[in-house]
Structures are given as C-alpha cells and as structure tokens.
Amino acid sequence: MYRTTEQHDPIEIEQLYRGLDAEDTTSAVSVILKLRGETCDIDCLYCYEKRKEAPGGARIDAGQVRRLAEIFAGRPLAVELHGGEPLTAGREHVAEVLRELAAQPSVVRVSMQTNGVLLDAQWLDLFDEEYPGLQIGISLDGDAKGNAWRVGYDGKPVYPRVAAALQLLAERGRKTGVIAAVTPAILGRAEAVLHHLADFEAVNAVSLVPCFDTAVQRATAASGRRLPASRRLQQAAVDGRGGPVWAISPDAYATFVLAAAAHWIGAGHFARLKLEPVVSTIRRLRGLGSGFCHFSDLKCDHVFTLYPDGRLGSCDELPWPQAQLTRLDQVDDQVGVIAAQRRLPLLNQGKDLMGRCTSCDYRAACGGGCIATRWRYEMAGDQDAYCDYRMRMIDGIAALLAQPAHPAGAWCRTARWRPRTPNSMRDIDAFLTRWNNADAPRPPVRLHTSAHGNINTVGQPGIHEADDLDPAHSQWHAAIEPGVRPLVDAVTRSWELVTYDSCQGHPYSGLDMAPAERRIGILPRDRTQYAQVAAALCRAVTAVAPALPAAVQVTVGRAELECETNGRTVPVLDLILLPAPEHGWSSYFAAVDTATHALVSALADQTPAGERGCACPTPQPVNAAAEEVLT
C-alpha cells in the first residue's frame, strides 16, 4: 500500500456551519417568502406552518421584496415563494412580486412551492410572461393512498386536483420537483410510490421529507366555533400516544429512503429523476458539494424567512417566534442581520449542536444534517436517534454505490462507511494484473522495520510509503507485519482475495502519535465479488462477536481507494479491530492477538461466494397499526 490512514482528527465547527459574513459577496442566501403567511386553500393535517398559529391573510408586496434586496445588497439571493399557499395571493399580486424579483440583479434563482390545487393555464401564462425561469415545486406525497393527510377543509382528498396540475405541467412542457412527506401512509411502499411519481412526465425530481412530528401533542387551533372536518380529523390523529399518527421515527425514514434509493437505481430512474436526500448523500460520499443545506455548511445563518407583517427570521423549520431575528423596517443591512443572528439564543444553541460533529467519522458525508430537526431531538433528549438515522442512511447508500446490482447490502448494519483520507495506490489496474499473473516480473523492494514494528520503505513509525506486493513476490511474507499475518493469510489463501493494505497495530509508546489499530484492507476484483465479500465479512464478524475479548471489537469499513495514475476510485472493504467502548489502548493491545485468532477461525467458517446474504435482518413490512390509521 502506498498511502493510507484513518480520518480521526477533529475539525472546527466553522467547517460544518459557516456564519454569515458581510464581506462575503459570493455565498448566496436563501430567502423564503411566506407570501400569504400560513393562509392556505387546503388543510393538510401535518402542516407545520399552521402549527405556528401566526395570523394570516396579509400579503408580501413588491416593496418588501425591494427592501430585502437592499438589505442583502451585493450578495446572491435565492428566493422561494412559499406558504401556506402562495397562489392564494392572487394573480395580479403575484405578478407584481415576480416583476420586482426580475428587476433585482442580485436575485439568481426564484422558485415556488405550491400544492398545485389552483394551478391552471392562466397561472402558467403569467409565469411565462413575468418570470420564465420560475422553478415550480409541487407538494404530493406519492400516490393517492400516500396523500391521506393532504385534505381540504371539508376533509376530502386533494390528490386528484394535484395530479391534474402535474398533467397540465407536462402538456406545457414544464418540469417540476415534488416534495413528498414520508408518513406511515407510504412506509413499506417505497417502490410503488417512487414508480408512481416517476410516471408523471413533468416530474424530474423528488425530495423525500420526513414527518418527524412525534413531539406534536395537540391539534392546531382553529378560529370560529365550528371546527372544519379537516381539524376534526387532525384532532383524532393527535389524540394518541407517541405523537400524531402521521409521525414516523428516524429509523423508519432511513429504511424508506434506502428502499427508494435501491429502486431508483435498479429501475433506472436515476437517468431522469433526481432523488433527495439520496443525490446529496452520493455527492458527499464522492467528495463533492451539495446545495442542500442539510449536507452543506451554509445552514441556518444563510437561510431566512420573511412574513407579510415584516417579521424576518431564520429557517422556517425552526420554532417561531424563537427564530425571529428582527423586522424588515428595523434593520439597515447585513451587518444588522448578523448582529441579530449572534444575539439569537436559538441559533447559538443550534450551532453548538454541531460540536459533536467535529470528531464524527461521518461528518464529511453527513454535513451535520438539519439544525432545526436536531434541535427538536435535543430538546426531547434523543439526538442520538437523529444521528443514527443519518449514519444508517449513509452506510446503506455507500453500499448501493459499491454494489448496485446487489441492493440487499443496503440493509447491512455491520459494514459501515469508514472513509480513509488519504487512501491511494499508484496504479490499481497494474497491481491487480500483477496479482493475478504469477509469471509477471517482480523486482526487489525496500523493506525497513521501525522500532515500533512498522514495515515500510523508510523504517519509520506512522504513515510512510510502502511498495504494493502480492503473494507471488519473494518478499511478500517479510513485508507483512507479524501481528496481522494470520488475517492476511486467511483472506489471501483461504478466501483467495486481494489485499491492498494491512497493519498489525502500533501503540507508539513514548511518541506524540495516536495509536494505530490492527486492520486489513481488501480490494475486490469486481462489484459482484465486493457484495459477496461484504456479506461474508458481516457473517464472520457477527459470529465472532461473542468470542471476542471484552477490550476488542471488530467492524467492517466501506471506503474508496484512489488510483494515483488515472484519478478514479474503486470501492474497498476494511476489516478493523478496534478498542471496545470504555476500554483503553493498553487493554486493547493486550487482547488483540487473542481477538485476531478468534476472527481467523470465524473467517474459516465462511466463504465469499454465491448469493448468500449477510447476517443482518431485512426490513419488516409496515405495521398493521399504520394500515388501521389510513382506514
């Protein structure tokens, strides 16, 4: 192996959560215009905007849009017309707002999120005339059954009218994204729901949004003496234990997203349909950025919400009025906005939540998630549930990327995403070719051993260059550190696999260096072998767990190996022996040889071949309770 190490060092919070900087003229801010506040022409049972119980009826006007651009002068603005329902503002009023947005050079993108009920040809004509680049988003929770909670004030479903709006968009050659709330109405039906949405010609993106509403304890207040049918339905849905019946758990959401991702890949929907949060997860796994704030460092300090009465606050998913920063007529510029942000306890608490992310192995792929949701789980004393779902989702999507033809790997809870930075080899193809050809020339290499047992080209502790050898090389045995040789032999001889790295583990006593754990890296020859090896490692690790010394645990890491010659990456698997929780390095190194021998025996009982799966259970169908709710 040429260069490899684990990613252990913590980073600063600022790398995960960037504060608003008045001198920064390149980073855009997102502004959500609550065009009619919480006013809406339908009454979805789970509506978070109406739960704020803020007075509606007023409208954001063109003058407020102009003032907003003045406050954020010189900075790109991404504006979303939102609600409630923005179309209830009326055609003439919406036209004035769009004209003002079109006149502002700092506005780089305008989108509208609508329930689609009022959308017709006249509206589309207006958009074409006033803002041709307007991006339209539709709220639709999959098929008719999935939209059980989206009803009018009469309690009747609105799905048929929304489906008609999507058909109209297709007839006009328009594309749209769909926001689908994940509730018990669609749990266990990811394939059917995604297939249904993909059948709409106009739909080119689907964003799966979880209803993490278990903390909701009461129905939304209603004005007037007579409750509409929708509010009676909501009262019945809230009157239960464990939150409202439309709420789901983070683990259930992760399961749904992974099932949707597997179908999205297997059915080929990825060719024309963007699926979130899957695409953002893939981008982060690939080391790329994302415009989705849950995966970006542009979080709540770069997201603003404006209400018709002039209230300016942070992200609309944060609780109000705690998220209110100021009023539009009480602030002159970004400096004033930044001062208000720094005074706001809610934002400071949210940023503090990122502290635990700085040393998390998943931070690069996760990006910290949604601050508003993390805050709610923190208040409930259960932030681990949120972090667990993020890790589970990342693990599963990493598996699907590595073995797309074998989606069952997404359900493995043993193989985890464990990126190694850097993790590279000079020429992967040449290495594999040489490994598979016993007659290939193998010149002598430099081997030196450090005082701490490291074998590399310089004989020094730590990460240094080491030549890439194979079992046919005359120095193969001498190049492997003694403590890890039994594992290397088990994998290369019994399993006939390719190893790209190994380390016996080093305590580095007396040095200012973090100890290194025992591990072996496996380079599968193709994606089918990858799936077989991952499943076999899971079975072996699960089987050996009861026999391990208390101080040692074994895990399987998914990572990527980069080829320095051509820059491409290939998926690899790492078998890692780690100190068990609440055990130190001294007890670990005292027991690691015993653990190694137990693991070798477990590996001998498995074989990475055939279609045999891993030891982890597959998801169970949606429970009967959810079916009862829908009827």
Side-chain angles (χ1 to χ4, degrees), residues 167-181:
Q167 180 61 37
L168 175 62
L169 288 169
E171 292 170 1
R172 296 288 290 262
R174 276 187 169 267
K175 296 298 182 181
T176 185
V178 167
I179 290 182

PDB file of all heavy atoms in Angstrom, residues 167-181:
ATOM      1  N   GLN A 167     -50.332  16.944 -14.762  1.00  0.00           N
ATOM      2  CA  GLN A 167     -50.622  16.644 -16.160  1.00  0.00           C
ATOM      3  C   GLN A 167     -50.577  17.919 -16.999  1.00  0.00           C
ATOM      4  O   GLN A 167     -50.041  17.936 -18.116  1.00  0.00           O
ATOM      5  CB  GLN A 167     -52.000  15.978 -16.283  1.00  0.00           C
ATOM      6  CG  GLN A 167     -52.400  15.614 -17.702  1.00  0.00           C
ATOM      7  CD  GLN A 167     -51.456  14.618 -18.346  1.00  0.00           C
ATOM      8  OE1 GLN A 167     -50.950  13.714 -17.676  1.00  0.00           O
ATOM      9  NE2 GLN A 167     -51.186  14.791 -19.636  1.00  0.00           N
ATOM     10  N   LEU A 168     -51.104  19.021 -16.448  1.00  0.00           N
ATOM     11  CA  LEU A 168     -51.067  20.297 -17.151  1.00  0.00           C
ATOM     12  C   LEU A 168     -49.632  20.771 -17.365  1.00  0.00           C
ATOM     13  O   LEU A 168     -49.281  21.265 -18.448  1.00  0.00           O
ATOM     14  CB  LEU A 168     -51.853  21.349 -16.356  1.00  0.00           C
ATOM     15  CG  LEU A 168     -51.817  22.783 -16.900  1.00  0.00           C
ATOM     16  CD1 LEU A 168     -52.439  22.850 -18.287  1.00  0.00           C
ATOM     17  CD2 LEU A 168     -52.522  23.732 -15.935  1.00  0.00           C
ATOM     18  N   LEU A 169     -48.790  20.622 -16.345  1.00  0.00           N
ATOM     19  CA  LEU A 169     -47.387  21.000 -16.483  1.00  0.00           C
ATOM     20  C   LEU A 169     -46.712  20.208 -17.598  1.00  0.00           C
ATOM     21  O   LEU A 169     -45.920  20.752 -18.377  1.00  0.00           O
ATOM     22  CB  LEU A 169     -46.661  20.779 -15.155  1.00  0.00           C
ATOM     23  CG  LEU A 169     -46.999  21.760 -14.028  1.00  0.00           C
ATOM     24  CD1 LEU A 169     -46.427  21.263 -12.703  1.00  0.00           C
ATOM     25  CD2 LEU A 169     -46.439  23.150 -14.340  1.00  0.00           C
ATOM     26  N   ALA A 170     -47.029  18.936 -17.686  1.00  0.00           N
ATOM     27  CA  ALA A 170     -46.447  18.101 -18.743  1.00  0.00           C
ATOM     28  C   ALA A 170     -46.903  18.581 -20.121  1.00  0.00           C
ATOM     29  O   ALA A 170     -46.115  18.647 -21.071  1.00  0.00           O
ATOM     30  CB  ALA A 170     -46.828  16.638 -18.532  1.00  0.00           C
ATOM     31  N   GLU A 171     -48.185  18.936 -20.235  1.00  0.00           N
ATOM     32  CA  GLU A 171     -48.713  19.417 -21.510  1.00  0.00           C
ATOM     33  C   GLU A 171     -48.040  20.710 -21.942  1.00  0.00           C
ATOM     34  O   GLU A 171     -47.911  20.987 -23.150  1.00  0.00           O
ATOM     35  CB  GLU A 171     -50.224  19.617 -21.394  1.00  0.00           C
ATOM     36  CG  GLU A 171     -51.001  18.319 -21.219  1.00  0.00           C
ATOM     37  CD  GLU A 171     -52.460  18.553 -20.868  1.00  0.00           C
ATOM     38  OE1 GLU A 171     -52.853  19.751 -20.784  1.00  0.00           O
ATOM     39  OE2 GLU A 171     -53.193  17.578 -20.677  1.00  0.00           O
ATOM     40  N   ARG A 172     -47.606  21.497 -20.966  1.00  0.00           N
ATOM     41  CA  ARG A 172     -46.943  22.759 -21.276  1.00  0.00           C
ATOM     42  C   ARG A 172     -45.428  22.593 -21.397  1.00  0.00           C
ATOM     43  O   ARG A 172     -44.698  23.580 -21.541  1.00  0.00           O
ATOM     44  CB  ARG A 172     -47.267  23.788 -20.188  1.00  0.00           C
ATOM     45  CG  ARG A 172     -48.741  24.168 -20.110  1.00  0.00           C
ATOM     46  CD  ARG A 172     -49.161  25.021 -21.293  1.00  0.00           C
ATOM     47  NE  ARG A 172     -48.574  26.338 -21.205  1.00  0.00           N
ATOM     48  CZ  ARG A 172     -49.225  27.413 -20.717  1.00  0.00           C
ATOM     49  NH1 ARG A 172     -50.497  27.312 -20.328  1.00  0.00           N
ATOM     50  NH2 ARG A 172     -48.637  28.582 -20.652  1.00  0.00           N
ATOM     51  N   GLY A 173     -44.937  21.368 -21.306  1.00  0.00           N
ATOM     52  CA  GLY A 173     -43.512  21.119 -21.442  1.00  0.00           C
ATOM     53  C   GLY A 173     -42.690  21.562 -20.257  1.00  0.00           C
ATOM     54  O   GLY A 173     -41.471  21.748 -20.370  1.00  0.00           O
ATOM     55  N   ARG A 174     -43.327  21.721 -19.120  1.00  0.00           N
ATOM     56  CA  ARG A 174     -42.618  22.162 -17.907  1.00  0.00           C
ATOM     57  C   ARG A 174     -42.189  20.969 -17.061  1.00  0.00           C
ATOM     58  O   ARG A 174     -42.856  19.937 -17.040  1.00  0.00           O
ATOM     59  CB  ARG A 174     -43.502  23.085 -17.064  1.00  0.00           C
ATOM     60  CG  ARG A 174     -43.471  24.542 -17.491  1.00  0.00           C
ATOM     61  CD  ARG A 174     -44.229  25.391 -16.492  1.00  0.00           C
ATOM     62  NE  ARG A 174     -44.036  26.811 -16.700  1.00  0.00           N
ATOM     63  CZ  ARG A 174     -43.107  27.551 -16.093  1.00  0.00           C
ATOM     64  NH1 ARG A 174     -42.264  26.973 -15.248  1.00  0.00           N
ATOM     65  NH2 ARG A 174     -43.025  28.849 -16.309  1.00  0.00           N
ATOM     66  N   LYS A 175     -41.068  21.147 -16.362  1.00  0.00           N
ATOM     67  CA  LYS A 175     -40.585  20.150 -15.418  1.00  0.00           C
ATOM     68  C   LYS A 175     -40.751  20.694 -13.999  1.00  0.00           C
ATOM     69  O   LYS A 175     -40.678  21.906 -13.768  1.00  0.00           O
ATOM     70  CB  LYS A 175     -39.120  19.824 -15.683  1.00  0.00           C
ATOM     71  CG  LYS A 175     -38.872  19.169 -17.040  1.00  0.00           C
ATOM     72  CD  LYS A 175     -39.586  17.828 -17.162  1.00  0.00           C
ATOM     73  CE  LYS A 175     -39.295  17.156 -18.497  1.00  0.00           C
ATOM     74  NZ  LYS A 175     -40.017  15.856 -18.626  1.00  0.00           N
ATOM     75  N   THR A 176     -40.952  19.787 -13.081  1.00  0.00           N
ATOM     76  CA  THR A 176     -41.177  20.205 -11.699  1.00  0.00           C
ATOM     77  C   THR A 176     -40.584  19.195 -10.736  1.00  0.00           C
ATOM     78  O   THR A 176     -40.432  18.012 -11.060  1.00  0.00           O
ATOM     79  CB  THR A 176     -42.688  20.358 -11.413  1.00  0.00           C
ATOM     80  OG1 THR A 176     -42.883  20.886 -10.100  1.00  0.00           O
ATOM     81  CG2 THR A 176     -43.395  19.018 -11.511  1.00  0.00           C
ATOM     82  N   GLY A 177     -40.244  19.688  -9.565  1.00  0.00           N
ATOM     83  CA  GLY A 177     -39.831  18.808  -8.481  1.00  0.00           C
ATOM     84  C   GLY A 177     -40.993  18.571  -7.539  1.00  0.00           C
ATOM     85  O   GLY A 177     -41.869  19.423  -7.393  1.00  0.00           O
ATOM     86  N   VAL A 178     -41.014  17.414  -6.924  1.00  0.00           N
ATOM     87  CA  VAL A 178     -42.078  17.056  -5.980  1.00  0.00           C
ATOM     88  C   VAL A 178     -41.486  16.897  -4.592  1.00  0.00           C
ATOM     89  O   VAL A 178     -40.454  16.231  -4.431  1.00  0.00           O
ATOM     90  CB  VAL A 178     -42.782  15.753  -6.411  1.00  0.00           C
ATOM     91  CG1 VAL A 178     -43.652  15.205  -5.289  1.00  0.00           C
ATOM     92  CG2 VAL A 178     -43.629  16.000  -7.655  1.00  0.00           C
ATOM     93  N   ILE A 179     -42.122  17.530  -3.615  1.00  0.00           N
ATOM     94  CA  ILE A 179     -41.784  17.272  -2.217  1.00  0.00           C
ATOM     95  C   ILE A 179     -42.803  16.279  -1.687  1.00  0.00           C
ATOM     96  O   ILE A 179     -44.014  16.539  -1.698  1.00  0.00           O
ATOM     97  CB  ILE A 179     -41.801  18.562  -1.381  1.00  0.00           C
ATOM     98  CG1 ILE A 179     -40.627  19.459  -1.777  1.00  0.00           C
ATOM     99  CG2 ILE A 179     -41.741  18.236   0.103  1.00  0.00           C
ATOM    100  CD1 ILE A 179     -40.530  20.742  -0.965  1.00  0.00           C
ATOM    101  N   ALA A 180     -42.315  15.136  -1.246  1.00  0.00           N
ATOM    102  CA  ALA A 180     -43.182  14.073  -0.732  1.00  0.00           C
ATOM    103  C   ALA A 180     -42.897  13.864   0.744  1.00  0.00           C
ATOM    104  O   ALA A 180     -41.767  13.539   1.123  1.00  0.00           O
ATOM    105  CB  ALA A 180     -42.952  12.783  -1.506  1.00  0.00           C
ATOM    106  N   ALA A 181     -43.897  14.081   1.571  1.00  0.00           N
ATOM    107  CA  ALA A 181     -43.754  13.841   3.004  1.00  0.00           C
ATOM    108  C   ALA A 181     -43.807  12.339   3.270  1.00  0.00           C
ATOM    109  O   ALA A 181     -44.708  11.646   2.783  1.00  0.00           O
ATOM    110  CB  ALA A 181     -44.844  14.567   3.787  1.00  0.00           C
TER     111      ALA A 181
END
